Every structure is written in structure tokens, then in C-alpha cells.
Amino acid sequence: MVVTTSTLLSSNTIVPTPHNSSLSSSSSNPKSSNISSINRRELVTSLFITVSPFFAAPQVNNPTNANPISLPISEARGLFQMPPVRLTNRYYLVRAGESEYESLGIINTNPVAKTSVDNGLSERGKKQAIKAALALKSMGACETNFWIWPSITQRAYQAAEIIGAVCGISRSRIVPEYSFLDARGLGAYEGKKLDSVSEVYASDSLSPNTKPPPIDDGTPNESVSDVFVRVTQLMSILETQYSGDTVIIVSPDSDNLTVLQAGLVGLDLRRHRDLAFAPGEVRFVDASSIPTYKQPASAVYKCLNPPNCN
């Protein structure tokens, strides 16, 4: 590749071009022209020197010092950590009302069935969702610029629509979440009676990393730490996407919300069950929002690095 030296000159340099007949003759005769050949490495190096100033960090002149001062890098958003130093939005946590499966006393956490009609709200669950919507309205959640973030799970999205109707907003303000708010996968407990879930919570109290036994029907077996990762990713998205807004998070189960609230207020994740949400319960994200009767034994202990709590 042959490139003229004039090609590599800075854009600020003007090279006069002689207007005479010798230009055409010199162009046709390489030996008589003042053209120098350069290799590929020299070309890349020269281009980098020419272009790099455009990508340099912005600087301001300091009249008292010959050296320029670089502008400070702004604080990054989206790198969300638990517990957060601050929240840029106001959050309300809502557990969807009772589902059809829950009314039958059966555990159903397989994500394959999360959009099934059978996974929707029971008649009792619909009434609980209405009460939740009225509670949100009385708490002032509907008065400012707000968004509803429900799990795409049938019962959670139904609850979100009820909340939207009571608060008087259109579906454009309802943003379905497709994975981070899935009900906690309970593995081999899938299809068993709801009472058996107490065994899972007994394991949670020992370690947030203990998983329920696996199963081969596609149901995940998630530990508290697994849920913690999901809800942290959700909060990272919300804190990056919105600023100064109100966000209503609607979960199909209690575990997403208890793990999330424990992480936000710095409580030991092994005690997340102490913060259990009843179907249709609403809670504002605030350390003082935890009801006195639900204060966990670990309330006096702050977990500064969840889920790694000693």
C-alpha cells in the first residue's frame, strides 16, 4: 500500500497545490514525484496520533499551572450493590394475591407454566389484589410519576392490571418482567403440598447457599443466594432506567420480596423468611416499613456484604 505523506498530515495543515501542467506528469511518473512509501505499521501509528486527540478526556486550562486539569469522571449508575448507599427511586413491594394452585394447597414454581391460566389469581386472590391496589393508593404510590413492574407470571400480571385500574393508568405504565421476578424454583418440591415448603426455609436459616433437591421436569432449584442475584439485577436495571420515579414491584411469591427487602436494608439473608409477605400484602421499601411483629431476630445484625453473612 502506497500513501502520500500529504495524506498523513494533520487536518489543521494546508498544503498548497501547484496549478501547472507538471502535476499530471509527476502523477504519472512515480520516480519524478515527491511521494514516499510507508509501511502499514507507520500508517496505523500516524493515524492514531492524528485521531487520538478527539477521544482524549476533556480538559480545562489552569491559568496558574502549565499542566491541564482533567475533568472528574462522573459517578457511574447501574453498578448496584446491596445494601445500597441510596436509592434514586421510591419502591413499593407487592405480593400478588392467592393463585389457583395456592388455593389447592399445591406448590407450583415451574416457569414453563407461569403464563398458564391455571396459574392466575383465584377468586380470593383477586379480592386480595384489589385490597393491595387500594392500599397503594392510600399510601400515595399512585400520586406521582410511577411504573408497575410485575412478573410475567399470570397471577402477578393480573394483580398489576388491577392496580393499574384502581390507580387510573393505562397498560403503557405496566412493564412486564420476564425472568428476574420468577417465583423461586423449589426443585423436587414441585407439585407437593404447600406445608412441605417449611423444610426449604429450615435449610435457608442455616445457609443462603443451600438449594432444594433437584428435579428433572425443568423446575429450577434455587437457593436464597440465587434469588438474591436475580433481584439485585432487577434493582440495577430499575435504578439505571429511572430517576426520581415510583416503582411498584409485583412478585408472584413471597421469597423474591423477602430476599430483596433483606438485601436493601442489610438484614441477614438467612432470616429472610421472617419478613414473609402474605398474599396481597404491600410494603414500602424502608427499614422502618417492616412491621414490628415481623422484625427478625437478626434485625440487630447488619449484613454488610450479602449474601455472604457470617
Side-chain angles (χ1 to χ4, degrees):
M1 179 178 180
V2 178
V3 182
T4 63
T5 54
S6 59
T7 306
L8 303 177
L9 291 176
S10 167
S11 59
N12 295 326
T13 304
I14 301 176
V15 180
T17 303
H19 298 281
N20 53 42
S21 59
S22 63
L23 178 62
S24 58
S25 61
S26 62
S27 300
S28 60
N29 185 4
K31 293 182 180 180
S32 62
S33 63
N34 294 325
I35 300 175
S36 61
S37 299
I38 63 173
N39 59 34
R40 197 178 295 267
R41 177 176 296 180
E42 290 172 338
L43 173 62
V44 173
T45 302
S46 300
L47 289 176
F48 176 78
I49 295 173
T50 303
V51 175
S52 59
F54 293 98
F55 297 95
Q59 296 179 336
V60 294
N61 293 326
N62 183 359
T64 61
N65 192 333
N67 296 325
I69 301 175
S70 299
L71 293 176
I73 299 175
S74 61
E75 182 181 356
R77 293 181 62 198
L79 301 177
F80 192 83
Q81 296 185 5
M82 297 279 203
V85 176
R86 63 183 178 86
L87 292 173
T88 60
N89 303 295
R90 300 170 68 240
Y91 294 94
Y92 292 85
L93 307 181
V94 181
R95 179 182 174 182
E98 178 189 72
S99 70
E100 293 285 0
Y101 279 99
E102 288 172 331
S103 68
L104 299 173
I106 299 174
I107 295 174
N108 180 262
T109 61
N110 193 325
V112 173
K114 64 184 178 181
T115 58
S116 170
V117 176
D118 295 335
N119 213 349
L121 293 171
S122 65
E123 289 303 316
R124 183 183 179 185
K126 293 174 183 177
K127 295 178 182 178
Q128 291 168 338
I130 293 173
K131 290 182 179 179
L134 293 173
L136 285 165
K137 192 169 185 178
S138 66
M139 295 168 71
C142 305
E143 295 176 359
T144 56
N145 190 35
F146 72 100
W147 303 84
I148 305 175
W149 273 64
S151 165
I152 196 61
T153 304
Q154 184 76 357
R155 62 184 180 274
Y157 196 83
Q158 286 178 339
E161 288 186 315
I162 292 173
I163 294 170
V166 171
C167 289
I169 62 167
S170 66
R171 289 184 177 178
S172 63
R173 288 278 172 173
I174 301 177
V175 185
E177 215 305 306
Y178 289 88
S179 60
F180 294 149
L181 281 175
D182 283 356
R184 179 185 178 184
L186 296 180
Y189 287 90
E190 185 74 2
K192 293 186 176 182
K193 293 183 178 181
L194 280 175
D195 294 343
S196 62
V197 78
S198 60
E199 300 173 11
V200 176
Y201 296 134
S203 297
D204 290 350
S205 65
L206 299 177
S207 171
N209 299 315
T210 303
K211 296 175 179 285
I215 194 173
D216 59 2
D217 69 346
T219 304
N221 59 319
E222 294 184 295
S223 66
V224 172
S225 295
D226 294 330
V227 176
F228 178 79
V229 170
R230 288 199 282 109
V231 296
T232 301
Q233 289 172 319
L234 172 69
M235 291 300 298
S236 180
I237 293 172
L238 293 174
E239 283 292 280
T240 303
Q241 186 165 336
Y242 304 112
S243 180
D245 292 349
T246 295
V247 182
I248 300 171
I249 298 174
V250 186
S251 171
D253 68 348
S254 175
D255 286 7
N256 284 333
L257 304 179
T258 57
V259 173
L260 173 56
Q261 188 166 31
L264 289 173
V265 301
L267 296 178
D268 190 335
L269 295 182
R270 291 172 295 185
R271 301 289 179 261
H272 79 94
R273 182 59 182 171
D274 295 337
L275 305 177
F277 281 68
E281 184 173 352
V282 178
R283 209 175 292 170
F284 178 64
V285 173
D286 190 326
S288 62
S289 69
I290 303 175
T292 303
Y293 67 90
K294 288 189 175 181
Q295 286 286 342
S298 61
V300 295
Y301 169 64
K302 291 288 184 179
C303 180
L304 299 179
N305 188 28
N308 300 318
C309 304
N310 298 320

